[in-house]
Amino acid sequence: MTALLATEHLTMRFGGVLAVDDVSLAVADGELRCLIGPNGAGKSTLFKCLTGQIKPSAGRILWRGQDITGLDSFEIARLGVGIKTQVPSLFDGLTVLESVRLALRRQARERAARAQALATLERLGIVELAPRLVALLAHGQRQLVELAMVVAPEPDLIILDEPTAGMSAEETTRAARVIRALNAAHAIIVVEHDMQFIRAIAKTVTVLHQGRVLVEDDVASVLADRRVQDVYLGKADASPRMVA
Amino acid sequence: MSGIRLPIELAAASFVAFAAILVLPHVLELFALINATVYVSLAVLALSLALVWGFGGILCFGQAAFFGLGGYSYAVAAINFGDTTYAVPVAIGVPALVAAALGYVMFYGRISDVYMGAITLTLTLILFNFVNSTAGDQWRVGAAPLGGFNGIPSTPPLNLPGDPGNPLPPEWIFAIAVVSLLICYILAKLILRARFGRVIVAIRENERRAELLGYDVRAYKLGIFVIGGAMAGLSGLLFANCVFVSPTMFSLFYSGQIIIWVMVGGLGTLVGPVIGAILLNLLTTWAGTLPEINPSLILGAILVLAVLVMPRGMLPSLATMLGRFRVAGGVT
């Protein structure tokens, strides 16, 4: 079966530094995949390559078997990829409803977009925020509004960059629940470094270390893996190289 | 934004425009009427930057370049054709084309905001210096001498379409200027209400998010930039009809002033910059009659005061005072 999103020997070099080094991975339709690794493992660089923010130095990125290497962010989004950034990226001067409508505007008619936007807000339990100005929302609400913008157009794949950054333990638990629920309808890639969170959501985990794939397996095996423990506890040569 | 607000705003704008056309020519003396026409043409210029900067988020120091290009294209075309009918589309088309070429390089080249300011300012200065140095008979486009720092004093006034023997009187030119301003305002309103305009505002708010939602930010920015360029060209045409075209149209004086009109009037609104342009021009003209004071000093003082007292500009501050200020993006 053709993977939904795959990378082949993906490499990103910044001067003499190999931030992503020959990474090949494949994510299937409907899968929930975690990309983890300690600081400097190359997660963020890989995220930027996958979302079209930077062009890889070598290797290919495939979407349903088609080469999409080097496409711009907006083109990748149009394929049906929803992207959530680490720090919520929002339209501060607009209302919540208008923001979500903008996420839908490319594909739906005006009236349908409004109804669908409200339905999405309803689904995430924040429909009462619809008329509020985004700038005035609390941090947790902002996270949900961004999520609403990402899921509203029903993307085939959602890529989340460190969704639990800055969250309390309780919020993290809730986020894990939300992500599992979303996985019923969308394939998801989560870039994270919080192992507890990974334990709560993941099925398959890809561990990155120094830009390379260290292990790729189900969550229990990964957590039990000696090499992974070494990398996280710093026994192996885990000192991060100069990586952006 | 409620559904009935737009028609009310458009009706109010139309009422003011037609009242001005009916009343002012009877009240004002000829000289004052021509001055009023100049102010209206500059209000169109302010409106163009209000759209590009206030909504598109593109701080363009080059609006004067499109203004000057519009004026010169009009004058050159009108002299060569011997008729202004086709000079009008030329005056709007040339600046729009230049804006398209410049915008393409800037937006598709992913040039950052700071450089964009520098590039647009540079273009204006290059044009200013170039046109200034076109004195002498070798500098002519067809039958039209460019005239160096003297400009083209023989800039012909508009005539009825296809009737070059009948140049329009100043009352007509005034009416045409006011109607042009009204049309530009209505057009801007409709653009901002349409999908295109909503995306433009979204891009101003967060370019990256707009891109992650699948919008080709470059194309949208280019679109609003070209519209702004065309509008500035129209303003140059109207200006050329009241005065005549000269290199000062490209000068720093204008590039700087447009920004002041928009800031003082209210960035992110349409009516604010229009009112700002008219009021500040009235003020500088009046200050020009005072023997002791340099009008530029007054303008500078107003800018500093405005930034300190009402940082969002006249119109939003006024609206806040009246308690009617709604969500940003909804107020235009």
Side-chain angles (χ1 to χ4, degrees), chain A residues 13-36:
Chain A
R13 209 186 302 271
F14 294 108
V17 178
L18 272 171
V20 174
D21 184 5
D22 194 31
V23 169
S24 298
L25 50 87
V27 177
D29 239 331
E31 191 181 337
L32 173 53
R33 170 71 62 95
C34 282
L35 281 176
I36 66 167

Side-chain angles (χ1 to χ4, degrees), chain B:
Chain B
M1 186 187 288
S2 67
I4 53 162
R5 230 179 96 197
L6 183 75
I8 291 176
E9 283 173 349
L10 296 187
S14 309
F15 175 78
V16 172
F18 286 107
I21 292 171
L22 291 177
V23 175
L24 287 183
H26 298 289
V27 187
L28 297 178
E29 289 173 23
L30 183 63
F31 177 71
L33 187 68
I34 292 175
N35 259 343
T37 316
V38 173
Y39 302 156
V40 173
S41 75
L42 296 176
V44 174
L45 185 57
L47 193 63
S48 75
L49 187 68
L51 209 52
V52 170
W53 183 26
F55 292 91
I58 305 162
L59 177 50
C60 174
F61 288 100
Q63 228 45 22
F66 305 130
F67 173 66
L69 278 173
Y72 269 86
S73 314
Y74 167 78
V76 167
I79 291 171
N80 278 299
F81 296 152
D83 178 358
T84 63
T85 312
Y86 297 109
V88 174
V90 172
I92 298 170
V94 170
L97 277 177
V98 174
L102 183 70
Y104 182 81
V105 174
M106 292 196 305
F107 303 129
Y108 282 75
R110 302 232 178 239
I111 284 169
S112 72
D113 291 351
V114 180
Y115 290 107
M116 228 177 264
I119 289 172
T120 49
L121 184 61
T122 310
L123 172 77
T124 316
L125 291 176
I126 289 173
L127 284 170
F128 176 64
N129 280 312
F130 169 70
V131 177
N132 239 331
S133 59
T134 55
D137 216 33
Q138 71 275 30
W139 292 102
R140 46 197 314 137
V141 181
L146 291 180
F149 59 83
N150 289 323
I152 308 178
S154 58
T155 305
L158 286 165
N159 53 252
L160 282 177
D163 187 9
N166 271 326
L168 295 173
E171 293 81 7
W172 276 69
I173 304 277
F174 174 71
I176 289 171
V178 173
V179 170
S180 302
L181 176 60
L182 180 65
I183 290 174
C184 287
Y185 173 73
I186 293 175
L187 202 71
K189 274 285 195 196
L190 295 179
I191 287 171
L192 291 173
R193 206 183 151 80
R195 204 189 86 127
F196 174 78
R198 313 298 274 178
V199 177
I200 284 289
V201 171
I203 291 171
R204 177 194 68 188
E205 289 297 318
N206 188 339
E207 193 167 325
R208 204 156 107 70
R209 180 32 85 192
E211 203 151 3
L212 293 180
L213 292 182
Y215 293 106
D216 186 353
V217 166
R218 306 166 300 181
Y220 281 92
K221 282 183 147 184
L222 182 61
I224 198 76
F225 194 66
V226 170
I227 293 170
M231 222 176 248
L234 173 66
S235 135
L237 176 162
L238 297 168
F239 183 86
N241 264 278
C242 332
V243 196
F244 59 85
V245 299
S246 70
T248 49
M249 291 178 83
F250 295 104
S251 65
L252 273 180
F253 176 73
Y254 276 115
S255 344
Q257 273 209 55
I258 312 164
I259 288 172
I260 298 178
W261 302 333
V262 174
M263 272 179 73
V264 172
L267 190 64
T269 70
L270 292 175
V271 178
V274 168
I275 297 174
I278 293 174
L279 278 185
L280 289 178
N281 274 295
L282 273 171
L283 194 81
T284 34
T285 309
W286 168 77
T289 62
L290 303 175
E292 313 79 9
I293 305 174
N294 184 334
S296 298
L297 271 179
I298 296 187
L299 202 62
I302 288 178
L303 176 67
V304 172
L305 257 180
V307 170
L308 288 175
V309 180
M310 10 176 234
R312 284 183 305 156
M314 207 165 55
L315 196 71
S317 302
L318 209 65
T320 311
M321 273 193 277
L322 296 172
R324 286 191 296 108
F325 188 60
R326 298 247 203 91
V327 175
V331 174
T332 50

Side-chain angles (χ1 to χ4, degrees), chain A residues 52-152:
Chain A
Q53 295 173 64
I54 51 176
K55 317 281 178 236
S57 319
R60 301 201 301 164
I61 303 171
L62 304 173
W63 174 258
R64 298 191 189 284
Q66 278 203 325
D67 192 345
I68 60 162
T69 320
L71 288 192
D72 275 320
S73 295
F74 75 91
E75 291 168 309
I76 289 176
R78 283 180 187 181
L79 293 172
V81 180
I83 300 156
K84 190 180 172 317
T85 51
Q86 189 177 339
V87 179
S89 174
L90 297 161
F91 302 126
D92 272 345
L94 306 183
T95 64
V96 171
L97 180 61
E98 171 70 1
S99 300
V100 181
R101 273 166 64 178
L102 277 161
L104 290 162
R105 224 171 258 269
R106 281 197 327 103
Q107 54 204 51
R109 305 291 312 162
E110 185 78 7
R111 192 164 297 205
R114 187 187 154 83
Q116 206 178 331
L118 285 170
T120 306
L121 291 173
E122 183 84 58
R123 183 145 62 106
L124 291 172
I126 49 170
V127 73
E128 75 283 356
L129 297 181
R132 300 267 304 274
L133 194 62
V134 171
L136 303 176
L137 300 178
H139 180 72
Q141 294 173 321
R142 291 168 69 84
Q143 293 276 14
L144 285 172
V145 170
E146 195 190 25
L147 198 60
M149 290 164 77
V150 170
V151 301

